Amino acid sequence: MSVTSYRDAGRLQRAFQRENDHRALFIAYIMAGDPDLETSFELLKGLAEHADVIELGMPFSDPMAEGPTIQLASQRSLAAGTKMRDVLGLVRRFRETNTVTPIVLMGYLNPVLFHGYEAFANDAADAGADGVIIVDCPPEEAGPLTDALEAAQMNLIRLATPTTDDARLEVLVKRTSGFIYYVSVAGVTGVLEADADAVAGPVARIRAASGLPVAVGFGIKTPERAAAVARVADGVVVGSALVDEIASAAKLNENVTEKVLLKASELAKAVRSARLELA
Amino acid sequence: MNVPNKPNDWSAYPDAKGRFGDYGGLYVAETLMPLVLELDRAYTEAKNDPSFQKELAGYLTHYVGRPSPLYFAERLSRRLGGAKIYFKREELNHTGAHKINNCMGQILLAQRMGKTRIIAETGAGQHGVASATVTARFGLPCVVYMGAVDVARQKPNVFRMNLLGAEVRPVTSGAATLKDAMNEAMRDWVTNVADTYYMIGTAAGPHPYPAMVRDFQAVIGNETREQIQELEGRLPDAVVACVGGGSNAIGMFHPFLADETVKIYGVEASGHGLETDKHAASLTGGRPGVLHGNKTYLLQDDDGQILDAHSISAGLDYPGIGPEHSFLHDIGRAQYLTCTDDEALAAFQLCAELEGIIPALESAHAIAKLPQLAKEIGEGGVIVLCLSGRGDKDIFTVADALGRTI
């Protein structure tokens, strides 16, 4: 029995190679299975109209780097019974109609370790995922996971933070690909606000050290801020602000997809209108 | 076979990467990496600095009240009709448990590192009280994260922490117990990296915590070695301790690891029973995974999600265990037994009635295995049990379980 494979090693790189546009990519984050898989599927399809890359959260029981918004999204997803195979199933279903928009899976190590690194890397690549961000797996521990991802031609995207100095940056950029995710605040997701001015320096430094595009996330909630960050970074990640829309719409019995896509279109417009000032 | 050869040099663990065999390591968010690496350097330096060790020893003697006595539990020994049983009386330490040994070491280290704010997590509140105590003594602000469920069932300790000037922040996420308190403490740490020191209460977490907490708690086993040789003229046949995260246990075990004649027993909490989903026996009922900065045995479901632990004892109510225990379990140097809530309750009462010592419910788990161990070791043998804490904090829980009101 053969199952369609949606492997495409170049999808993510192509997304960042929009040199003619001179603009940052808009990267939208949602949690898979929040509030349920069907809504996530509708959201993925809709978000692809606005976002250049989609980050898809893999729920975890103990998301230590997340603020309340994404913690609760994780809980809603797990309460709805979301499993790893459902998350990958969602990607696969999305790929049946969209083979262009890259999907980056973001989560914590234990569910991936439980699945087995090689099995995870192969299943995720076949489903059509393009990269993986594992919050609690620093380079010191990433060897075996990196081997598996490289073999499956999946990108391992690393986080750099305000506490990352030059020496640490050298450690970080080894065996990393796709892009570097700069966490603009020392803190958890969705709580503190990113300062666009403070982001410019580190982004340029990381870009130079890695030779990779740098996307900035954590603490970007409004179109204004997204635009400000878009002027200095290669990508702008918005997560909690979208997940907040999911939570409030679900609570008020409103149309979740409609509300989230409205927010996403505002953010996308703001990011697209801002020209990237490449140093 | 990927079982490691039986090591004969226990000082080789953890290795340079913070590993005990396959366990341990540093699985934290990148924001924290520079901090844990700095902590590792600072601790290594302090450990090898005689002035640090001297200062620590001074506080242990004059503030904590060490050495703690090694007490022959004569009536209990007679009742059980087997080996002689000794209690290492950690419950007589200032604050009523072994937790202060570690907190004293860590506060001196935090000061040395120039940190000005302390955070901690706590389950039963014993580590929270010890943290609040040392921060009061050294004049640093302290925030203690505690699961809202534990705040409710450990009221006396919450009040104690408040009296000592610490802020107790109830954590409502997840099951609102120790695991969730630890998540929240890590969120605080990642947000306040510049000035904050995270005082972890057990021999788990990212490297160097498992090694550091073990070293600070090893005073228990080191004193026991000396005291038992004085009293019995030889080493014990067995040592036994309860294991949640496992700090009192590893403190007792570690100095005996190289003594092949000494049997080592840890006792995990099996709550309502291993066959139910209400227990906290990570080694007996879990499998290896990654949580809270280290690779170790964890209670988890069929998709790698961490399960909520259950124990009548708030201090053992944790789905993980220190990585060194995972290693000792795999290589068979230590044996890990289990004890249910009911067995612990019975042991709690037995100890109170026979010895006039009200043990912590945590320690009662170890006491509950004494009938079996005393018989196994047999007459003429010697067992030392780490009586890790006193049970004042547990009287409400116990009364409730016995259907009494106080």
Side-chain angles (χ1 to χ4, degrees):
Chain A
M1 193 184 75
S2 80
V3 180
T4 313
S5 171
Y6 292 102
R7 283 187 197 217
D8 179 350
R11 208 182 277 125
L12 190 58
Q13 281 73 6
R14 286 198 298 275
F16 274 100
Q17 279 164 2
R18 293 186 164 163
E19 284 163 26
N20 304 334
D21 298 358
H22 288 297
R23 67 165 181 88
L25 302 192
F26 171 49
I27 304 175
Y29 170 100
I30 58 166
M31 172 67 73
D34 168 36
D36 56 69
L37 287 164
E38 207 46 46
T39 308
S40 288
F41 178 62
E42 291 303 317
L43 282 172
L44 283 183
K45 278 198 304 186
L47 282 174
E49 305 290 316
H50 305 285
D52 303 295
V53 177
I54 298 174
E55 246 182 52
L56 187 62
M58 302 184 280
F60 183 48
S61 52
D62 296 80
M64 283 156 294
E66 315 295 350
T69 297
I70 293 178
Q71 279 180 54
L72 289 169
S74 209
Q75 279 179 23
R76 286 191 296 270
S77 173
L78 291 174
T82 308
K83 303 279 185 193
M84 177 71 83
R85 64 172 176 275
D86 300 319
V87 177
L88 300 182
L90 195 58
V91 177
R92 177 173 284 280
R93 207 174 146 202
F94 174 73
R95 281 281 169 256
E96 286 168 7
T97 55
N98 181 322
T99 54
V100 177
T101 310
I103 292 193
V104 173
L105 299 170
M106 182 165 189
Y108 291 78
L109 190 61
N110 199 57
V112 173
L113 177 65
F114 193 96
H115 206 77
Y117 291 152
E118 277 176 34
F120 170 80
N122 282 316
D123 293 352
D126 282 339
D130 301 285
V132 180
I133 301 174
I134 302 290
V135 179
D136 55 350
C137 189
E140 281 80 351
E141 304 292 356
L145 175 63
T146 314
D147 294 344
L149 290 172
E150 282 176 358
Q153 291 188 294
M154 285 267 286
N155 294 288
L156 177 65
I157 291 135
R158 286 213 181 287
L159 302 167
T161 77
T163 59
T164 307
D165 60 16
D166 286 341
R168 183 77 197 147
L169 200 50
E170 265 182 51
V171 178
L172 280 185
V173 300
K174 278 182 199 139
R175 298 184 84 186
T176 185
S177 61
F179 62 97
I180 304 264
Y181 186 133
Y182 180 61
V183 174
S184 62
V185 296
V188 294
T189 47
V191 178
L192 301 169
E193 289 203 337
D195 178 346
D197 292 338
V199 158
V203 166
R205 198 161 56 92
I206 295 164
R207 201 187 272 138
S210 64
L212 291 170
V214 180
V216 175
F218 279 49
I220 302 167
K221 293 191 163 179
T222 62
E224 295 72 32
R225 207 165 285 273
V229 171
R231 277 190 274 279
V232 296
D234 305 294
V236 178
V237 188
V238 179
S240 294
L242 295 174
V243 174
D244 269 337
E245 294 292 319
I246 296 177
S248 70
K251 201 172 173 186
L252 299 168
N253 260 328
E254 294 171 336
N255 186 320
V256 173
T257 315
E258 216 167 84
K259 290 259 309 214
V260 174
L261 296 186
L262 179 64
K263 182 89 180 177
S265 71
E266 289 167 9
L267 290 159
K269 214 169 117 192
V271 170
R272 274 162 204 194
S273 66
R275 306 295 289 182
L276 185 60
E277 295 162 1
L278 275 175
Chain B
M1 276 270 292
N2 59 357
V3 178
N5 291 327
K6 196 171 177 183
N8 49 24
D9 179 13
W10 296 91
S11 64
Y13 300 97
D15 66 15
K17 295 183 79 182
R19 291 194 173 269
F20 303 88
D22 197 31
Y23 304 103
L26 318 130
Y27 297 89
V28 295
E30 187 54 42
T31 310
L32 292 176
M33 280 305 290
L35 266 97
V36 293
L37 296 172
E38 181 202 348
L39 178 63
D40 187 29
R41 282 190 296 272
Y43 175 59
T44 304
E45 206 182 281
K47 188 170 65 176
N48 298 317
D49 179 353
S51 73
F52 177 85
Q53 295 296 350
K54 194 180 164 202
E55 191 182 10
L56 175 57
Y59 282 111
L60 289 179
T61 304
H62 302 292
Y63 190 73
V64 174
R66 304 208 68 92
S68 67
L70 186 66
Y71 161 76
F72 175 42
E74 191 182 350
R75 295 191 68 210
L76 186 66
S77 300
R78 211 158 45 208
R79 168 73 65 93
L80 299 182
K84 289 174 83 171
I85 293 156
Y86 284 85
F87 287 166
K88 180 60 174 163
R89 302 285 304 273
E90 291 301 300
E91 102 281 11
L92 293 179
N93 289 337
H94 182 39
T95 73
H98 69 290
K99 293 292 184 185
I100 190 121
N101 301 329
N102 167 47
C103 288
M104 191 51 84
Q106 288 202 49
I107 194 80
L108 294 179
L109 182 64
Q111 277 202 317
R112 203 179 152 100
M113 293 175 74
K115 300 294 179 183
T116 54
R117 175 177 178 267
I118 305 293
I119 57 169
E121 84 296 330
T122 198
Q126 291 303 91
H127 174 61
V129 168
S131 299
T133 298
V134 298
T135 49
R137 169 62 185 76
F138 290 92
L140 293 180
C142 180
V143 173
V144 180
Y145 290 93
M146 186 170 190
V149 168
D150 294 335
V151 169
R153 64 178 166 172
Q154 298 288 338
K155 281 184 193 145
N157 271 342
V158 173
F159 185 58
R160 268 181 206 119
M161 285 182 262
N162 288 332
L163 282 176
L164 291 160
E167 180 192 342
V168 179
R169 290 195 190 157
V171 176
T172 52
S173 60
T177 59
L178 182 53
K179 157 176 93 90
D180 311 291
M182 201 151 176
N183 290 338
E184 213 53 41
M186 293 192 103
R187 289 184 186 114
D188 180 316
W189 200 22
V190 85
T191 309
N192 299 288
V193 273
D195 63 346
T196 298
Y197 182 92
Y198 181 13
M199 193 173 274
I200 292 184
T202 194
H207 178 70
Y209 283 101
M212 177 168 73
V213 176
R214 172 202 69 202
D215 293 348
F216 289 141
Q217 293 294 1
V219 68
I220 300 172
N222 284 327
E223 284 178 8
T224 298
R225 279 182 76 87
E226 273 187 34
Q227 291 167 319
I228 198 70
Q229 293 190 87
E230 206 168 292
L231 291 163
E232 292 286 340
R234 65 183 182 90
L235 292 177
D237 298 290
V239 293
V240 53
C242 65
V243 208
S247 72
N248 89 89
I250 204 69
M252 174 61 97
F253 298 172
H254 199 264
F256 290 105
L257 289 179
D259 301 305
E260 290 187 6
T261 58
V262 180
K263 290 182 173 152
I264 294 176
Y265 298 97
V267 183
E268 298 193 286
S270 55
H272 294 183
L274 283 170
E275 69 288 359
T276 72
D277 60 357
K278 292 223 172 294
H279 66 80
S282 328
L283 289 175
T284 315
R287 57 176 278 180
V290 168
L291 180 71
H292 293 152
N294 61 153
K295 186 173 185 192
T296 191
Y297 275 79
L298 298 169
L299 301 182
Q300 43 190 321
D301 71 7
D302 59 2
D303 209 38
Q305 303 293 341
I306 309 303
L307 294 170
D308 295 319
H310 164 83
S311 167
I312 191 171
S313 148
L316 302 182
D317 197 349
Y318 181 65
I321 186 162
E324 194 166 359
H325 288 292
S326 295
F327 175 57
L328 296 178
H329 170 70
D330 276 11
I331 62 170
R333 177 63 188 98
Q335 267 181 272
Y336 293 87
L337 315 170
T338 63
C339 164
T340 64
D341 286 351
D342 290 343
E343 290 175 289
L345 273 169
F348 182 95
Q349 294 172 84
L350 182 72
C351 182
E353 287 165 16
L354 285 183
E355 296 294 347
I357 295 170
I358 298 176
L361 271 174
E362 287 80 355
S363 321
H365 282 73
I367 297 169
K369 297 291 114 173
L370 284 175
Q372 173 191 333
L373 295 179
K375 209 169 183 181
E376 212 172 290
I377 302 298
E379 228 167 313
V382 172
I383 299 174
V384 180
L385 175 139
C386 183
L387 198 77
S388 56
R390 67 180 184 223
D392 309 31
K393 68 187 171 65
D394 294 316
I395 56 174
F396 299 99
T397 306
V398 173
D400 198 43
L402 299 176
R404 305 252 290 270
T405 42
I406 46 175

